[in-house]
Every structure is written in structure tokens, then in C-alpha cells.
Amino acid sequence: MRSPLRLPVLAAALFAAAAGTGRAADDAALFSPAMLNLRTTLSNDLATARSATLAAGGEVLKAETARWENDLAERRRTRNIKGIAVADAALDALKAASAALEKKGTVEFPANLRRELAEDFARLKTRIDAAEREASTAIAAAEAKAVAAFRDAAQKAGVEVDADPATAKKRFDTWLTATPPAAGAAAPGPAGTVATPAPVEAVPASPEPPPEFFAQSRPGADWVTVGRWTAESTGPDVFEIAAFAGTGKKSGRKDNPIVGRATEWSYEGLRKLDPGDYAFRLRRIDKRDVVEIVEWPGPANEGRLTFRTKIVRMIPAPTGFELQCSTAKPVSVPVKTEPAGARVFVDGRAYLEGGREARTPCTLNLPAGTYSLRIALEGHQDLEAKEYVVAEGRAIGARLSPLKDMPGRTVKVDPLRIWADTGVTVNKGDRIRLSVDGEWGCGKQGELTGPAGYDPSQLKFSHYYMNPRNGPKQIDGAPYGALLVRIGTNKISHIGTLRGFIAGNAGPLLFDVNEEADPAWRRDNRGALQIKVIAGPAAP
């Protein structure tokens, strides 16, 4: 006798099977090559937006550090002993705050801050908090934009995502951190059919690879490998290794909450280094991604190398480098200038002393050899030597000439007008020196600013950046209201506070403000910059 057919049970079973098939189909669609590419893009976009909180506070600290470095140079020039001690303490506190921001994501000033600095640093903390609040608003906007992009792409792939923002965000977060199906897997089809694998899409071509030696603290010779760091990176993060720790292997992991995965890393020390002041460089390993240096090892930081991994094209991304140091015995070359406070560049790189850019008076510690040197001080002519021989017993002493005393051509750059012609024609390779005075204002509120433009990290200028139509710019990579330069009809470049550059092309030299080149936008602009241009061939 046949059993009676139980229709409700059969219907439930068919519904469950259909639901399972639907979920599998959704999974296949959400993890297609196109959706996985989108996932990597959105993960990196969110990582960039969230790192803006660090960048916002970091930019404020960077500007404050530059102010105190200039102040220290002036106090050294006037031999203000107490003032020098206060400026040194301020710079040490700013360095500690920058390190805390990199490692912990928060600004922390030393508890034993000098009494003279208490008021200054309280105001500084208020500025940093305001900048970070502004960055947090940008993060929320980036998250909403990412969820919307996911929802649109999912619907185009045939997957419905709830329109409710909270529900869509929950599904987006799950998709962002879920493990994709095994390669070649596809949604099951009806019984007796074979599922067709999704087509493989072409991966965009990789950018030009970095050079073999992609970072270097200062010139050196007789390089040896100290250690090797490798990782499977999930995105931007800060890491630290001890260069003076000796040989042996260490490994670890750092969670990335944005993508829900961890960066697995390992470091193998290959050579024991006695504590000291060495020149270091990083060598790329095979085709692995490279890193950005935060701080080089040295006696002041107990030999710690601090670096940052970058935004990745795929997760995980093989990343790594060899840490090398110079074993050549350095030669000491004292450098003094009048006035003091000049920066020193060796083979095109700013010379570092104690992890910071050296300012005269200082001492260069370099292996014997020939180098390109440049000494630069704001408002003064650079001193250059293309082939300076470093040898025992040598020293550098120089009096830097103020640009205002040098022959040149002065032009008024009016923000009401478009591209002021300086009347100076330059040749490719000429060194252009600038002396800039004055202020100008543009935009709807017209606040006065200098050649740096409106600082995006300052809350009072946020209206220019929250809505781009409030501050339409000629080039996006520079602040609104900043000083721009171009030679003839060639590419527009950001000058800002730079006071010198090498001409990349030949032609007439032109200046303008970073605002849309539309007279209608400029009718309310005011003020002007007076720019003295001194042009000539670069040093032989």
C-alpha cells in the first residue's frame, strides 16, 4: 500500500531546496571576478578614508614641527640658550606625539611637558581634535558611498539588496569579510545539469615596479644585508622591527578590521649590529609590494625601523624587503652657515640627523667619496656643489645671500587675473629661485592666505573641501588658493611654499592661483602676491 502524499512537507522541502539554490546563486554572483575586483577597490577606499584620521592629525603635527624647527634655528642664531632648550623640548614632544599617532592612532604628548609649552600644546590638541572630527565625517561619507556602490553592482549581477541602509550595510560588511567560494566553484543548477564556471576577467596591468633599492636613509658604501621582512598584507598598517636585535626569526600578525583579515608577517635577522649611527637602505624582494618609511633606525630610537604598508591591489598582497646597512666607516664633515638653520641635501635627499632633517650647524657623517650637495634656507640663494669630495679634515662654512639682495624680476600675481606672465623665459634645466611676499583671498568668503593656500586640515576652511563647488580648483592635488606655476603651455604644477625648482621645460614662466580659470569665479578675489624670480643655469 502506498504511503499518503504529504503535500505540506513536500512543499516545504521544495521551498528549502529552492532557497538553498537561490543563496548559492547569489554567492556565485557576489563573488564573481568583477565583484571581487570591486571588493578590493572598496576595501582600499575605506582603508584610505579611515587612514585620513591619522593623516589629519599628522598634517597638523607636521606643520607645527616645521614652525618649531624654524623657531629653533632663529634661537640658535641669537644664542638664546633657554629658548633653544624650550624649542628642543617642543620638537621632542612633537616627535613622540607623531610616533603615538602612527602606532596607536591617537595623539599623546609626554606627561613631563615643560611648563612654557603647556598653553601652546593645549591649543595644538584642540586643532588636532577638530581636524580628526572633520576626517570622521569624511569616513562616514566614504562608507555610505561604498555600500551604495556594492548595492548597485549586486543588483546588476541579479542579487537584490535591501534598500534599508542598516540592512544593506550589514550585508555589505558580511560580503567584505567573507571567504570567497573555491576557485572554479559555481552555483548548483537543476538536477542533471552541469554548472558553467564564471568567465575569468582580465586583471588591470600593474603599474611600473619600484626600483630595486626603493628607500635609503643617506649615502653609504660596502652594503650588507641585516635582515629580511616579508608579509601577506591586507592593507595599510604600521610595523616596527629592531635592527639591533641580532639574528633569529620572529613572526606575528596584525588584524585589519576593515577587511576582517590579518596581515601575517615574519622577520629574519641575518646579521648582528652593534648600536650605532648607520646608513640604511631597503631592497625590494622579487615582485613583492614595497613599504613607506616612517622612521629609520638609530641610537635615538634604540635601532627601531618603523614603516607603513601600502594600499593593496589584491588581498592578501605579498610584501617585503631586505634591510641593508653600510659598513663603510663614515667621515665627519661639520657644516656651518650664516645665517643658521639651513637644510642640507646630499645626492638630492634631505640629510637626516636623529630621525629629523638636519639644520645647520650640523655634521655630515658620510663614507669617503664624491657627492652632490645643496644647502638651502628660506629666502636665501641655495649653495650647491655638484661634486663635493668628502675626506678627513674637510669642513663647510658658507654665508648665504638673501634673495632680496640678488638681481631678478618682480611680478605682481593678481588672483583676479588668469596666469600672470613674469616676463622671464627659462631654459630646460634652469634653477628657478623665488622670494614671495603678500597675501591673497579667493572663494565665497575670501579669507586671506599666502602661497600655501587654504589648509584642508583646518576646520575654518573645511567649507572649501566638503563641497568642491565652494572651492573649484585648476588642479586637485593642491590646496584651494595655493600658488601654481607653468612654463609656456606645459603641465600646471603646485608651488605653494616651495622657493625653488628646476625647470622641466623651456618657455615663458607663468604664475596663478589654484582656482578655476573662470573670470566669473574670480570677480570677488582680492590681495596679491609679489614674487621675485631669479633664474639661471643650475650649478655645474
Side-chain angles (χ1 to χ4, degrees):
M1 180 177 178
R2 292 184 180 179
S3 300
L5 185 63
R6 295 175 180 151
L7 291 178
V9 174
L10 179 60
L14 289 173
F15 179 80
T21 301
R23 282 194 299 271
D26 282 359
D27 287 347
L30 289 178
F31 292 103
S32 69
M35 290 298 289
L36 287 174
N37 284 342
L38 176 66
R39 187 170 82 157
T40 299
T41 299
L42 295 181
S43 294
N44 288 336
D45 288 348
L46 289 176
T48 302
R50 290 175 182 177
S51 67
T53 302
L54 291 180
E59 287 300 315
V60 177
L61 289 173
K62 184 177 177 182
E64 191 71 5
T65 299
R67 182 177 77 83
W68 277 104
E69 284 176 343
N70 290 333
D71 194 78
L72 176 61
E74 177 61 21
R75 295 180 186 193
R76 282 176 174 168
R77 187 184 68 80
T78 57
R79 295 177 174 82
N80 182 341
I81 303 301
K82 182 179 179 181
I84 291 171
V86 171
D88 272 332
L91 288 170
D92 288 341
L94 290 167
K95 184 177 179 181
S98 297
L101 185 61
E102 289 285 356
K103 295 174 185 176
K104 302 178 183 178
T106 59
V107 173
E108 296 177 0
F109 296 122
N112 58 344
L113 200 64
R114 287 184 67 118
R115 176 176 49 82
E116 299 95 325
L117 297 173
E119 189 175 336
D120 263 8
F121 275 67
R123 286 196 298 266
L124 175 60
K125 187 65 168 66
T126 301
R127 287 169 53 203
I128 291 170
D129 290 344
E132 290 179 347
R133 282 195 300 272
E134 184 180 329
S136 296
T137 303
I139 290 170
E143 288 178 343
K145 183 178 178 182
V147 173
F150 160 70
R151 187 169 179 271
D152 290 346
Q155 289 177 336
K156 288 177 183 177
V159 180
E160 285 297 322
V161 177
D162 200 299
D164 174 63
T167 306
K169 174 72 164 57
K170 184 177 180 180
R171 187 158 189 188
F172 169 74
D173 290 341
T174 301
W175 171 73
L176 203 63
T177 59
T179 301
T193 66
V194 178
T196 304
V200 177
E201 297 185 359
V203 177
S206 299
E208 190 70 21
E212 180 182 8
F213 298 100
F214 61 89
Q216 186 168 320
S217 65
R218 63 172 188 256
D222 302 330
W223 297 92
V224 296
T225 299
V226 176
R228 185 178 290 109
W229 187 87
T230 56
E232 298 299 313
S233 175
T234 59
D237 213 330
V238 177
F239 295 84
E240 193 177 87
I241 58 178
F244 300 160
T247 59
K249 290 185 177 181
K250 289 185 177 180
S251 60
R253 54 185 283 133
K254 289 191 77 171
D255 290 326
N256 184 336
I258 298 169
V259 299
R261 298 176 68 176
T263 294
E264 305 276 353
W265 63 268
S266 67
Y267 176 70
E268 182 180 9
L270 301 173
R271 186 185 184 96
K272 183 176 180 358
L273 285 183
D274 293 327
D277 186 16
Y278 299 88
F280 288 96
R281 70 181 183 184
L282 301 185
R283 178 180 177 272
R284 190 179 185 213
I285 298 177
D286 301 324
K287 295 182 179 180
R288 288 178 174 265
D289 284 355
V290 298
V291 300
E292 297 173 342
I293 291 296
V294 176
E295 186 176 25
W296 289 103
N301 64 15
E302 299 178 338
R304 290 190 303 272
L305 172 68
T306 308
F307 55 93
R308 182 189 297 108
T309 50
K310 298 184 177 183
I311 292 172
V312 299
R313 296 178 65 249
M314 56 179 282
I315 297 175
T319 305
F321 58 84
E322 280 187 0
L323 174 64
Q324 298 185 349
C325 81
S326 170
T327 59
K329 182 182 178 182
V331 176
S332 296
V333 180
V335 183
K336 294 182 180 180
T337 62
E338 179 59 42
R343 301 161 72 201
V344 182
F345 295 84
V346 179
D347 289 344
R349 291 190 178 98
Y351 186 80
L352 303 180
E353 198 172 50
R356 296 201 299 256
E357 287 189 359
R359 300 274 181 158
T360 58
C362 63
T363 299
L364 305 181
N365 291 300
L366 301 168
T370 302
Y371 302 88
S372 168
L373 297 185
R374 181 165 66 90
I375 299 174
L377 180 64
E378 174 76 17
H380 293 74
Q381 183 182 15
D382 292 355
L383 177 69
E384 289 187 273
K386 290 294 185 184
E387 295 185 352
Y388 183 84
V389 178
V390 170
E392 291 286 353
R394 298 206 67 181
I396 299 173
R399 182 180 295 277
L400 304 178
S401 303
L403 290 178
K404 62 183 179 62
D405 297 339
M406 298 181 63
R409 184 179 185 89
T410 301
V411 61
K412 177 182 177 182
V413 183
D414 187 340
L416 285 167
R417 302 183 181 278
I418 298 169
W419 290 107
D421 190 344
T422 63
V424 175
T425 299
V426 301
N427 297 313
K428 184 176 181 179
D430 280 357
R431 177 171 290 282
I432 316 301
R433 300 173 180 85
L434 307 175
S435 178
V436 183
D437 290 308
E439 291 183 315
W440 56 18
C442 55
K444 292 185 177 180
Q445 297 189 24
E447 306 98 321
L448 288 176
T449 184
Y454 299 111
D455 186 347
S457 69
Q458 292 195 26
L459 191 62
K460 63 181 179 180
F461 299 137
S462 62
H463 54 281
Y464 291 130
Y465 300 97
M466 297 298 285
N467 183 353
R469 292 309 302 166
N470 289 338
K473 300 185 288 185
Q474 295 194 56
I475 59 174
D476 290 331
Y480 181 52
L483 176 63
L484 304 179
V485 66
R486 77 187 308 173
I487 297 174
T489 57
N490 293 294
K491 179 183 175 182
I492 300 172
S493 298
H494 171 216
I495 286 294
T497 57
L498 292 178
R499 292 297 171 263
F501 61 94
I502 301 295
N505 302 93
L509 187 66
L510 311 169
F511 293 114
D512 200 2
V513 64
N514 192 20
E515 184 179 45
E516 189 172 294
D518 181 351
W521 271 104
R522 300 194 176 196
R523 60 175 176 262
D524 296 326
N525 291 359
R526 59 197 181 103
L529 297 183
Q530 300 288 335
I531 303 179
K532 183 174 182 178
V533 180
I534 302 159

